[in-house]
Amino acid sequence: LDLQWLSADWLPSRQVAYWGDLDTWGMAMLATARSYLPQLQALLMDQAVFDSHQSQAVAEPVPADPALYARLPPQELALAQYLCAQQLGRLEQEFLPGSVVAQAVYQWLQVR
């Protein structure tokens, strides 16, 4: 979970989006990223995205330690717990359709 590069002194003044795998390790990495940049915006890391692409999900061999979720807000913590409870609770980011990713990034840029 080495995301120490997020501690760069110029990043806090920027708007930053984060996109990771939808699994317990991805949620742990999101929590770690938030320790450096609490204001970052998670993209494509919610239950609606997981549920709508669940057919692409696979089993997660070893779930992350729930203590790693400490910096997640309640909704993201609930998602991490939901993913852990799923038999097929791992949706790797590269399995999302490119059009879904492009739309999410486009929407994020429009809000800026």
Side-chain angles (χ1 to χ4, degrees), residues 8 24 30 36 38 97 105 108:
T24 63
L30 176 59
Y36 296 105
V105 172
W108 180 74

PDB file of all heavy atoms in Angstrom, residues 8 24 30 36 38 97 105 108:
ATOM      1  N   ALA A   8       3.321  14.416  -1.932  1.00  0.00           N
ATOM      2  CA  ALA A   8       3.994  15.526  -2.621  1.00  0.00           C
ATOM      3  C   ALA A   8       3.359  16.853  -2.206  1.00  0.00           C
ATOM      4  O   ALA A   8       2.132  16.971  -2.155  1.00  0.00           O
ATOM      5  CB  ALA A   8       3.900  15.334  -4.131  1.00  0.00           C
ATOM      6  N   THR A  24     -11.382  -5.592  -1.547  1.00  0.00           N
ATOM      7  CA  THR A  24     -11.000  -5.094  -0.223  1.00  0.00           C
ATOM      8  C   THR A  24      -9.638  -4.415  -0.253  1.00  0.00           C
ATOM      9  O   THR A  24      -9.415  -3.438   0.467  1.00  0.00           O
ATOM     10  CB  THR A  24     -11.013  -6.218   0.832  1.00  0.00           C
ATOM     11  OG1 THR A  24     -10.041  -7.211   0.504  1.00  0.00           O
ATOM     12  CG2 THR A  24     -12.396  -6.842   0.945  1.00  0.00           C
ATOM     13  N   LEU A  30      -7.547   2.951  -1.164  1.00  0.00           N
ATOM     14  CA  LEU A  30      -8.283   4.214  -1.143  1.00  0.00           C
ATOM     15  C   LEU A  30      -8.174   4.862   0.233  1.00  0.00           C
ATOM     16  O   LEU A  30      -7.953   6.076   0.346  1.00  0.00           O
ATOM     17  CB  LEU A  30      -9.749   3.978  -1.524  1.00  0.00           C
ATOM     18  CG  LEU A  30     -10.687   5.183  -1.451  1.00  0.00           C
ATOM     19  CD1 LEU A  30     -10.209   6.313  -2.353  1.00  0.00           C
ATOM     20  CD2 LEU A  30     -12.103   4.753  -1.810  1.00  0.00           C
ATOM     21  N   TYR A  36      -3.289  10.754   2.848  1.00  0.00           N
ATOM     22  CA  TYR A  36      -2.463  11.803   2.260  1.00  0.00           C
ATOM     23  C   TYR A  36      -3.307  12.955   1.705  1.00  0.00           C
ATOM     24  O   TYR A  36      -2.924  14.109   1.817  1.00  0.00           O
ATOM     25  CB  TYR A  36      -1.586  11.243   1.136  1.00  0.00           C
ATOM     26  CG  TYR A  36      -0.578  10.233   1.610  1.00  0.00           C
ATOM     27  CD1 TYR A  36      -0.754   8.877   1.376  1.00  0.00           C
ATOM     28  CD2 TYR A  36       0.556  10.641   2.301  1.00  0.00           C
ATOM     29  CE1 TYR A  36       0.182   7.947   1.811  1.00  0.00           C
ATOM     30  CE2 TYR A  36       1.494   9.719   2.746  1.00  0.00           C
ATOM     31  CZ  TYR A  36       1.297   8.376   2.493  1.00  0.00           C
ATOM     32  OH  TYR A  36       2.221   7.458   2.933  1.00  0.00           O
ATOM     33  N   PRO A  38      -7.159  13.785   1.938  1.00  0.00           N
ATOM     34  CA  PRO A  38      -8.531  13.494   2.380  1.00  0.00           C
ATOM     35  C   PRO A  38      -9.607  13.970   1.406  1.00  0.00           C
ATOM     36  O   PRO A  38     -10.700  13.414   1.366  1.00  0.00           O
ATOM     37  CB  PRO A  38      -8.651  14.236   3.712  1.00  0.00           C
ATOM     38  CG  PRO A  38      -7.256  14.519   4.142  1.00  0.00           C
ATOM     39  CD  PRO A  38      -6.413  14.567   2.910  1.00  0.00           C
ATOM     40  N   PRO A  97     -15.785  -1.609 -18.780  1.00  0.00           N
ATOM     41  CA  PRO A  97     -15.748  -1.155 -20.176  1.00  0.00           C
ATOM     42  C   PRO A  97     -15.128   0.236 -20.284  1.00  0.00           C
ATOM     43  O   PRO A  97     -15.369   1.110 -19.446  1.00  0.00           O
ATOM     44  CB  PRO A  97     -17.231  -1.123 -20.579  1.00  0.00           C
ATOM     45  CG  PRO A  97     -17.924  -2.012 -19.597  1.00  0.00           C
ATOM     46  CD  PRO A  97     -17.133  -1.921 -18.322  1.00  0.00           C
ATOM     47  N   VAL A 105     -14.671   9.727 -16.029  1.00  0.00           N
ATOM     48  CA  VAL A 105     -13.617  10.747 -16.053  1.00  0.00           C
ATOM     49  C   VAL A 105     -14.165  12.039 -16.645  1.00  0.00           C
ATOM     50  O   VAL A 105     -13.918  13.139 -16.121  1.00  0.00           O
ATOM     51  CB  VAL A 105     -12.379  10.254 -16.827  1.00  0.00           C
ATOM     52  CG1 VAL A 105     -11.366  11.375 -17.030  1.00  0.00           C
ATOM     53  CG2 VAL A 105     -11.746   9.074 -16.102  1.00  0.00           C
ATOM     54  N   TRP A 108     -16.281  13.775 -14.085  1.00  0.00           N
ATOM     55  CA  TRP A 108     -15.437  14.352 -13.049  1.00  0.00           C
ATOM     56  C   TRP A 108     -14.794  15.649 -13.537  1.00  0.00           C
ATOM     57  O   TRP A 108     -14.758  16.647 -12.807  1.00  0.00           O
ATOM     58  CB  TRP A 108     -14.366  13.350 -12.603  1.00  0.00           C
ATOM     59  CG  TRP A 108     -13.473  13.877 -11.542  1.00  0.00           C
ATOM     60  CD1 TRP A 108     -13.779  14.050 -10.226  1.00  0.00           C
ATOM     61  CD2 TRP A 108     -12.125  14.312 -11.680  1.00  0.00           C
ATOM     62  NE1 TRP A 108     -12.708  14.572  -9.545  1.00  0.00           N
ATOM     63  CE2 TRP A 108     -11.673  14.734 -10.424  1.00  0.00           C
ATOM     64  CE3 TRP A 108     -11.246  14.384 -12.769  1.00  0.00           C
ATOM     65  CZ2 TRP A 108     -10.390  15.215 -10.218  1.00  0.00           C
ATOM     66  CZ3 TRP A 108      -9.967  14.853 -12.559  1.00  0.00           C
ATOM     67  CH2 TRP A 108      -9.562  15.262 -11.296  1.00  0.00           C
TER      68      TRP A 108
END
